[in-house]
Amino acid sequence: MGEYIRGVVVKLHLTPEQEVMFKQNYGCTRKTHNELLNKYKAKYGDSNKIPTKNELNQFLNEFKKELPYLMETESTSLQQARDDLHKAFKNSFKSKRHNPPKFHSKKKTRPSFRQTIRKDKKPVEKNTLTLRKHGKVTFSTSVEYLDLLNSPDTKFNNITVYYDGLNHYASFNIETDAPEQLPLTGEHIGCDINSNKNGWLVTSEG
């Protein structure tokens, strides 16, 4: 298996019970980010100090005791929120192109959480995804992506679940063999995507 990293997004189909659990996980992940950032600001103010992962982990353990309901959600999604915040601090202090971390607003922040995948685990079987704490979730996608996700050569790194206000989706971070490279012919083909109302891509070859 190669190390070609790509992302694949599928649409999830939840049961009413899973709908409630997902929304709780979204809320707990957002709460974790905000509480970590709040504890950082309480300790360091607006300084340029980058917190270490150990410091953020200590903050995480502290407010998990203060907010015991966080213990009911999937644990690695909270750890991912901690790691994402640490990365955001590093990026903002490394380059002015990255803004300092901000508090996540319920209205303006897309609800999401991410789970890591244990080594050599296959979370997908046919059109069913198994998530820790949430159980089995069915999904729909193209035949091509379905084959890719079920391939024994596909390695799963993590899964990000998010909600766009209408539907829930899972975005897979996977490693696969590099796609086949077509040989160069030295010829050029023109393409026109506005040539008709049906949305077909028409080439100069017809």
Side-chain angles (χ1 to χ4, degrees):
M1 179 182 63
E3 295 184 354
Y4 183 77
I5 298 177
R6 63 183 299 182
V8 174
V9 178
V10 302
K11 181 179 179 181
L12 301 177
H13 306 286
L14 310 183
T15 65
E17 293 78 11
Q18 288 171 334
E19 182 88 24
V20 173
M21 293 173 66
F22 272 48
K23 290 184 178 179
Q24 288 175 339
N25 209 150
Y26 295 144
C28 288
T29 302
R30 184 180 64 253
K31 183 69 173 178
T32 296
H33 172 93
N34 288 342
E35 286 296 325
L36 286 173
L37 187 55
N38 188 50
K39 283 186 175 292
Y40 165 83
K41 288 184 175 293
K43 184 173 182 178
Y44 296 111
D46 294 325
S47 71
N48 291 329
K49 177 178 173 58
I50 301 177
T52 65
K53 279 192 176 182
N54 287 337
E55 284 180 300
L56 293 179
N57 198 52
Q58 181 181 349
F59 294 158
L60 177 60
N61 291 331
E62 287 175 3
F63 70 74
K64 279 173 112 176
K65 295 178 181 178
E66 299 167 6
L67 305 172
Y69 66 84
L70 291 176
M71 302 292 289
E72 299 175 7
T73 195
E74 200 279 316
S75 60
T76 66
S77 59
L78 305 186
Q79 295 164 8
Q80 287 294 304
R82 173 203 63 199
D83 293 345
D84 288 345
L85 181 61
H86 183 254
K87 183 177 180 180
F89 271 114
K90 291 178 65 176
N91 288 339
S92 67
F93 293 141
K94 187 190 311 181
S95 171
K96 293 183 179 180
R97 293 181 301 172
H98 298 278
N99 294 323
K102 297 180 179 179
F103 291 102
H104 285 174
S105 164
K106 186 175 182 180
K107 291 184 178 180
K108 296 182 179 180
T109 304
R110 185 177 70 177
S112 67
F113 64 85
R114 185 161 69 255
Q115 289 190 6
T116 55
I117 306 301
R118 296 188 178 96
K119 187 177 180 180
D120 298 329
K121 290 291 184 179
K122 296 289 290 187
V124 171
E125 183 178 359
K126 296 182 179 179
N127 69 328
T128 301
L129 165 66
T130 300
L131 291 169
R132 289 193 296 277
K133 207 82 174 181
H134 304 295
K136 296 183 181 298
V137 185
T138 59
F139 65 85
S140 57
T141 186
S142 67
V143 174
E144 176 189 356
Y145 284 167
L146 194 61
D147 290 342
L148 179 63
L149 294 173
N150 281 276
S151 170
D153 295 327
T154 296
K155 176 188 174 183
F156 293 81
N157 294 322
N158 58 63
I159 303 171
T160 300
V161 178
Y162 64 91
Y163 180 58
D164 68 356
L166 293 175
N167 299 296
H168 300 267
Y169 298 89
S171 176
F172 298 91
N173 181 291
I174 60 176
E175 293 181 21
T176 66
D177 292 328
E180 180 184 359
Q181 298 294 317
L182 297 177
L184 296 177
T185 64
E187 298 180 357
H188 299 275
I189 298 177
C191 299
D192 186 356
I193 61 174
N194 298 313
S195 59
N196 59 61
K197 296 181 180 180
N198 296 322
W200 292 101
L201 176 67
V202 178
T203 70
S204 56
E205 292 182 330

